[in-house]
Amino acid sequence: MATQITTGKVRFSYCNLFTPRAAQAGAQEKYSVTLLIPKSDKATLQKIKAAAEEAKTNYLTKNAGKKLPKDLKFSLHDGDGERPNGGDFGPECKGCYVITVSSNNKPVIVHADKTPLTDPQELWSGCYGRAVINFYVYDTNGNKGITAGLNGIMKLYDGEPLSGGVVTDSDWDDGWEDDEDDDGDGLLD
């Protein structure tokens, strides 16, 4: 049994995949993405459950004498419920499980044909793809839980942007006639 899994098709949100970002002021910058996993994807959910159990076993094996609390925190959340801080998840999370994964190291990022994806403008919050993630137990200042690190992302196809927007070449083809500034004063006469 392994702690690393490859998900089925998920939707990406809060993509910080090309440049690391700190979750809050003063925190370490990390590469991260939130994965929206459809509740209908039973195979991925089963893989997550098995990998989380293996992460617990690994932790207990490496830390003889330590115990894990019965109410161990888990970074996988129900998108139809409340965020851990009490707020609501966004509408894009409905019908999904939500997990944010991160890494100190830049993840492998590829297209569906496994060629490298290097242009940040080709991957945004709202795209669909798969992720390679690795589950582990964290134990920081008495705060214990299970989460996953981010190892890789495969973009399968574009999706409707979840925020902001994406500009494509066809957006400029709107039939607008651009006049020239004949006298160079910056104003159209």
Side-chain angles (χ1 to χ4, degrees), residues 42-120:
K42 304 294 186 200
T44 295
L45 296 172
Q46 185 58 39
K47 285 184 187 180
I48 289 171
K49 183 178 178 181
E53 288 301 318
E54 184 68 16
K56 287 182 200 177
T57 300
N58 290 350
Y59 175 84
L60 293 172
T61 300
K62 291 177 185 176
N63 297 282
K66 286 195 174 186
K67 293 184 178 184
L68 293 172
K70 290 183 184 195
D71 60 342
L72 188 64
K73 295 178 184 177
F74 194 20
S75 59
L76 182 71
H77 304 287
D78 185 342
D80 293 315
E82 288 186 349
R83 293 180 179 273
N85 67 7
D88 290 332
F89 282 101
E92 71 279 4
C93 299
K94 302 304 178 202
C96 296
Y97 284 103
V98 180
I99 186 169
T100 299
V101 293
S102 64
S103 176
N104 295 331
N105 303 314
K106 187 172 182 180
V108 172
I109 305 170
V110 297
H111 292 279
D113 64 1
K114 300 180 187 169
T115 58
L117 192 159
T118 58
D119 184 352

